[in-house]
Amino acid sequence: MRLEKKEIFVGLNGINIGKENGLRAGLYNSPNSSGGQRRKSMEWRNYSRRHPNWTLFLLIAGVLFLFGFAIVALQRHPNPGTHLPDRTETMDDTGEGVLSPNSLSRQLADQMTLCKSYAVIAKENSNLELAWHLSAQIRASQQLLSLAATRGTPITWDEAEPIMREMSSLIYQAKELHYDSATMLMKLKAEMQALEEMANTAATQSATFGQLAAEAVPKSLYCLSLRLAIKWATDADLREKVIKEQKQVAPALVNNNLLHFCVFSDNVLGASVVVNSTIMNARSPERLVFHVVTDAVNYGAMQTWFSINDFKDVVIEIKTVESFTWLNASYVPVLKQLQDAETQSYYFRSTGQNEGEAQKTALKFRNPKYLSMLNHLRFYIPEVYPELDKVVFLDDDVVVQRDLTELFSLNLHNNVNGAVETCLESFHRFHKYLNFSHPKIKSHFDPDACGWAFGMNVFDLVRWRQEGVTARYHYWQEQNVDRTLWKLGTLPAGLLAFYGLTEPLDRRWHILGLGYDANIDAELIENGAVVHYNGNMKPWLKLAMSRYKPVWEKYVDYQNAYLQQCNFH
């Protein structure tokens, strides 16, 4: 059986737009049909031989019936010469016609979409000439569509054909240049990987710069400490005055009927805000006693500041951590570990492997607060103050907004540590701090146990001594000599030492996150007894969040002569 060859013209979107339009576009060549005619005549002769003549008569009768029907129809419609528009000449591009696959507007829009994509790809590959030609045809298509919409008549084939032909040619060129989906997917994947590497690098740099900024002592704060230290060193009368005051307040330092607060800090202004805010919000400030411990470098500055400023005659004791001679490497595991060469290498040198992550980790470990004895002194409070029964511990980056007297009468239910739990946050469970793949951790602790925060803690020192919390701290610190139980900080050690000995307090006693979280509820801050700027964005730094800084600045007297000399503002 011989197959006939169909003569059709397919548009750019796969739609048959007719033989006549194909001839106009120059995309149709009519084949020689003489062979087909001869074949048809032979078939007809064979057909007439095989069938009787009455069939022919029936066919003629049918033709005559149709002819008569046509005459009747023409008589009912008196305008037979009315010209009907050729659908292949002008397709309805308004209303529902635009949705038709035969619509020239739709075909132009489809080609414009392809051209826009290829134009972007061509620019990415620096083929500006092809991109320019594609853009020109896109503009031509847009102008034609706009013209058709303005005049209210559909687009004709004569108008659309040159633009469609040119866009087809350009699309073909783009495909020849391998601007296809598979190639672009590979390129996009490579670009995504490059962008991911850049993002990781930027994140590492951001963490590096943020850590350096947090660790650095601002020039104004350094100036303040230096000027105060000079005053202490050169003013003999001031030193004599302080010695006399210390002798007068000595009985109050061991009086358990008073309210004792501990602040361990080398930051003069930070410690000042903690003391000042506590006093200003206390109902009975005369009952307050502050025990401030600093280092030898800042001792003179601390003594001078708390001596020359008015703190409503509240008892304030200043000591140096170096004065506790029993805090040495033979007793304190942290000091012993810092003398080890391998530990020093871990803290102060990166390995060169995975440099970005190693640099980020090294910066965390190099933060002086993790190595300072002032930071670990909180685990020795019963030995620092052997005569005291209960104290409230405050970090130097907190602000007190309510009277804290009630903390001293709280029932801790035979626990040692009263602290605010942090399970409601996005982290702060034990498994976030400790390595539960280690058998010693896995066998002793619950990974879903609720964490809590240092910064505002009530310590029952009597129960502390009975439970031997400091010995527990020593044990776990010695077990972590190879840093396999936890990586850094004092909080993991505190979670282990006070495990089962912590009483959860109402969350309003201690509001956390002002040093890193920009979305803390304003009402929560306002109602908080103590707000804590934990994180790198400390309130005395330039990178502090402006939203939270006024809470801290409220307790800073910027009219103070020393602050003005050091450009505090």
Side-chain angles (χ1 to χ4, degrees):
M1 178 178 179
R2 184 174 181 179
L3 298 175
E4 265 192 0
K5 185 176 183 182
K6 290 187 178 181
E7 301 166 353
I8 60 174
F9 176 76
V10 180
L12 294 168
N13 60 355
I15 303 303
N16 181 3
I17 64 175
K19 173 181 178 181
E20 183 179 353
N21 289 335
L23 288 170
R24 290 181 180 179
L27 302 174
Y28 172 80
N29 292 321
S30 177
N32 188 352
S33 61
S34 59
Q37 293 295 334
R38 287 194 297 271
R39 176 63 177 172
K40 287 180 180 178
S41 62
M42 292 176 65
E43 290 177 353
W44 172 254
R45 286 195 297 271
N46 293 336
Y47 177 82
S48 63
R49 291 171 184 169
R50 291 193 302 267
H51 294 78
N53 290 334
W54 60 267
T55 305
L56 178 61
F57 291 127
L58 289 175
L59 181 62
I60 294 172
V63 172
L64 290 174
F65 174 78
L66 291 174
F67 181 72
F69 180 80
I71 292 174
V72 174
L74 287 174
Q75 288 177 351
R76 292 189 177 183
H77 299 279
N79 294 319
T82 302
H83 175 70
L84 296 175
D86 187 357
R87 292 289 295 173
T88 61
E89 289 284 344
T90 57
M91 299 182 184
D92 182 13
D93 295 314
T94 60
E96 295 181 359
V98 177
L99 301 177
S100 171
N102 293 321
S103 169
L104 291 176
S105 295
R106 178 168 176 175
Q107 294 185 54
L108 281 171
D110 290 345
Q111 285 192 311
M112 283 172 56
T113 302
L114 279 174
C115 288
K116 288 178 180 179
S117 300
Y118 284 129
V120 173
I121 299 171
K123 289 179 182 178
E124 291 288 335
N125 290 271
S126 301
N127 193 341
L128 300 181
E129 182 180 359
L130 177 59
W132 185 88
H133 286 297
L134 288 166
S135 300
Q137 293 307 311
I138 292 170
R139 288 193 297 271
S141 299
Q142 291 171 338
Q143 290 171 359
L144 179 57
L145 291 170
S146 177
L147 177 62
T150 302
R151 71 192 183 194
T153 59
I155 298 172
T156 65
W157 173 257
D158 291 335
E159 293 172 324
E161 184 271 336
I163 300 174
M164 294 174 68
R165 179 191 293 275
E166 184 63 26
M167 284 199 291
S168 296
S169 176
L170 293 172
I171 291 171
Y172 176 77
Q173 292 180 38
K175 289 183 177 180
E176 287 295 307
L177 292 170
H178 302 292
Y179 294 163
D180 55 1
S181 299
T183 305
M184 280 309 299
L185 284 173
M186 293 178 64
K187 290 183 179 179
L188 288 174
K189 185 176 180 180
E191 289 184 5
M192 288 176 62
Q193 290 176 344
L195 288 173
E196 186 177 357
E197 291 179 1
M198 291 174 62
N200 291 335
T201 301
T204 301
Q205 290 178 343
S206 176
T208 300
F209 297 149
Q211 194 70 35
L212 291 174
E215 293 176 19
V217 178
K219 183 178 180 181
S220 55
L221 192 58
Y222 177 78
C223 167
L224 176 64
S225 297
L226 186 60
R227 286 182 177 273
L228 292 172
I230 292 173
K231 173 70 173 176
W232 176 258
T234 58
D235 193 335
D237 293 337
L238 176 63
R239 295 195 300 274
E240 185 177 351
K241 173 189 172 184
V242 169
I243 293 173
K244 289 182 180 180
E245 290 176 349
Q246 288 177 345
K247 292 180 180 179
Q248 293 174 358
V249 301
L253 298 177
V254 294
N255 186 349
N256 283 300
N257 293 320
L258 301 178
L259 311 179
H260 296 267
F261 296 86
C262 298
V263 182
F264 304 150
S265 174
D266 57 0
N267 185 327
V268 175
L269 200 57
S272 173
V273 169
V274 175
V275 173
N276 194 29
S277 62
T278 307
I279 293 172
M280 291 181 66
N281 291 288
R283 290 193 295 265
S284 302
E286 68 279 1
R287 295 187 62 204
L288 306 183
V289 178
F290 287 91
H291 303 267
V292 179
V293 178
T294 187
D295 55 22
V297 174
N298 293 282
Y299 175 75
M302 286 282 189
Q303 286 285 18
T304 303
W305 180 262
F306 285 104
S307 178
I308 65 176
N309 289 293
D310 180 21
F311 290 93
K312 297 185 178 181
D313 297 326
V314 170
V315 176
I316 302 174
E317 176 194 34
I318 311 293
K319 285 188 175 183
T320 65
V321 68
E322 290 84 359
S323 64
F324 306 121
T325 55
W326 46 269
L327 286 174
N328 51 56
S330 62
Y331 179 63
V332 179
V334 171
L335 295 178
K336 183 179 180 180
Q337 291 168 11
L338 286 176
Q339 293 179 352
D340 181 66
E342 192 274 333
T343 302
Q344 292 178 0
S345 176
Y346 178 77
Y347 275 104
F348 300 109
R349 300 185 186 92
S350 56
T351 61
Q353 299 176 351
N354 193 10
E355 189 62 32
E357 191 64 28
Q359 183 181 8
K360 191 188 301 186
T361 303
L363 280 168
K364 288 182 179 180
F365 289 145
R366 288 171 184 167
N367 192 327
K369 73 177 184 178
Y370 295 127
L371 308 177
S372 171
M373 196 56 220
L374 284 174
N375 198 40
H376 289 266
L377 191 61
R378 65 192 66 188
F379 295 106
Y380 301 94
I381 292 177
E383 295 170 78
V384 175
Y385 307 108
E387 297 89 356
L388 298 182
D389 296 337
K390 182 174 286 189
V391 299
V392 171
F393 170 78
L394 298 173
D395 267 341
D396 62 0
D397 54 354
V398 306
V399 174
V400 177
Q401 300 185 121
R402 298 287 182 271
D403 179 60
L404 301 183
T405 303
E406 186 181 344
L407 288 174
F408 290 86
S409 59
L410 286 177
N411 185 0
L412 299 182
H413 300 96
N414 287 325
N415 287 306
V416 176
N417 173 30
V420 170
E421 292 184 332
T422 53
C423 298
L424 296 178
E425 307 295 337
S426 58
F427 46 93
H428 294 315
R429 290 194 181 270
F430 270 43
H431 63 83
K432 293 293 184 179
Y433 297 101
L434 304 169
N435 177 20
F436 274 86
S437 63
H438 196 288
K440 289 185 178 179
I441 296 295
K442 185 177 181 179
S443 60
H444 288 83
F445 304 100
D446 177 9
D448 293 323
C450 199
W452 46 267
F454 273 127
M456 196 290 297
N457 304 82
V458 184
F459 291 129
D460 184 338
L461 302 186
V462 176
R463 288 288 298 149
W464 183 316
R465 299 181 186 101
Q466 291 173 352
E467 295 291 340
V469 174
T470 301
R472 294 172 66 171
Y473 161 72
H474 282 176
Y475 171 80
W476 288 113
Q477 196 70 49
E478 289 169 352
Q479 296 300 310
N480 195 43
V481 65
D482 55 357
R483 298 167 301 281
T484 56
L485 305 186
W486 70 89
K487 289 296 182 183
L488 74 164
T490 54
L491 182 56
L495 295 176
L496 301 182
F498 291 99
Y499 187 69
L501 298 173
T502 299
E503 177 70 17
L505 304 180
D506 189 299
R507 191 184 182 194
R508 290 172 295 181
W509 280 112
H510 190 187
I511 307 302
L512 295 152
L514 277 71
Y516 68 89
D517 187 355
N519 300 310
I520 303 176
D521 184 67
E523 185 177 355
L524 190 65
I525 295 175
E526 183 179 355
N527 295 330
V530 176
V531 294
H532 194 173
Y533 292 82
N534 57 312
N536 285 338
M537 299 180 183
K538 301 300 184 186
W540 53 82
L541 299 176
K542 295 291 185 183
L543 50 80
M545 283 183 272
S546 57
R547 179 189 170 199
Y548 305 137
K549 200 167 184 178
V551 178
W552 185 82
E553 290 180 329
K554 179 181 178 181
Y555 301 98
V556 178
D557 180 15
Y558 286 106
Q559 301 304 315
N560 183 279
Y562 283 97
L563 296 184
Q564 290 185 343
Q565 290 172 5
C566 294
N567 297 318
F568 275 96
H569 50 76

